Amino acid sequence: MTQEQNYKNHARFHPLFHFIGMPLALITFIGTVVYLFASFSWISVLAVIGSICLMVSIVLVRTYATKLQDRIIRGEENFRHYLLTGEPLNPRLTTGQIVALRFASDDQFPSLCQKTAAESLKPDDIKKTIKKWRPDSLRV
């Protein structure tokens, strides 16, 4: 049985990305820069350029996946709000706020949406306000 999701344990780390991919890309970049200064040549310059390309690619892949999920969450939560209230989400809500609101149970979701729009709550404050969490274990 998996642990119930809450404010303290909702952050998701993807081991291949956070603990292998990014550290290896960073080590590769540092190694190529050291190699560049130790033995300047066209090969060392190309190695630095290649390691920069690797780091940029890894960061972009992560960024694109996260932005796509944010768009999907925005649509899902707008639909959920419509099903619960008959109205779309308040257009003043930011994507960050909506992403945080997805953890709210159906009981708390509509009222928390109104409170967030009225008080311009920050995503972290929204998560702290949630009483009964609705888990999201599919986030990248």
Side-chain angles (χ1 to χ4, degrees):
M1 181 172 170
T2 60
Q3 184 180 11
E4 184 178 322
Q5 201 171 50
N6 58 44
Y7 178 75
K8 292 180 181 176
N9 71 5
H10 78 282
R12 174 129 163 31
F13 289 101
H14 192 280
L16 284 175
F17 176 80
H18 289 99
F19 305 118
I20 297 173
M22 274 309 289
L24 285 178
L26 186 59
I27 290 167
T28 302
F29 173 70
I30 292 169
T32 59
V33 170
V34 169
Y35 179 64
L36 175 70
F37 286 108
S39 167
F40 184 82
S41 67
W42 288 111
I43 295 296
S44 62
V45 171
L46 288 175
V48 170
I49 292 170
S51 67
I52 291 170
C53 289
L54 175 66
M55 286 183 45
V56 167
S57 296
I58 288 174
V59 169
L60 284 178
V61 164
R62 176 70 178 177
T63 302
Y64 291 162
T66 304
K67 286 194 177 288
L68 177 60
Q69 284 189 331
D70 289 349
R71 291 183 67 182
I72 292 168
I73 289 168
R74 186 176 190 89
E76 288 174 341
E77 297 310 306
N78 194 33
F79 183 62
R80 180 167 84 135
H81 190 270
Y82 184 79
L83 288 176
L84 294 171
T85 66
E87 297 177 4
L89 281 171
N90 189 320
R92 291 183 298 173
L93 293 173
T94 67
T95 299
Q97 290 170 322
I98 295 168
V99 168
L101 285 163
R102 80 185 185 280
F103 292 114
S105 66
D106 286 350
D107 297 339
Q108 192 179 9
F109 183 66
S111 61
L112 190 53
C113 287
Q114 288 177 341
K115 180 178 179 177
T116 299
E119 299 176 17
S120 298
L121 295 177
K122 294 180 181 173
D124 198 52
D125 295 331
I126 295 167
K127 293 175 190 176
K128 288 177 183 176
T129 306
I130 297 172
K131 292 176 181 73
K132 182 179 176 193
W133 276 64
R134 183 175 153 249
D136 181 3
S137 56
L138 300 176
R139 182 111 169 129
V140 171

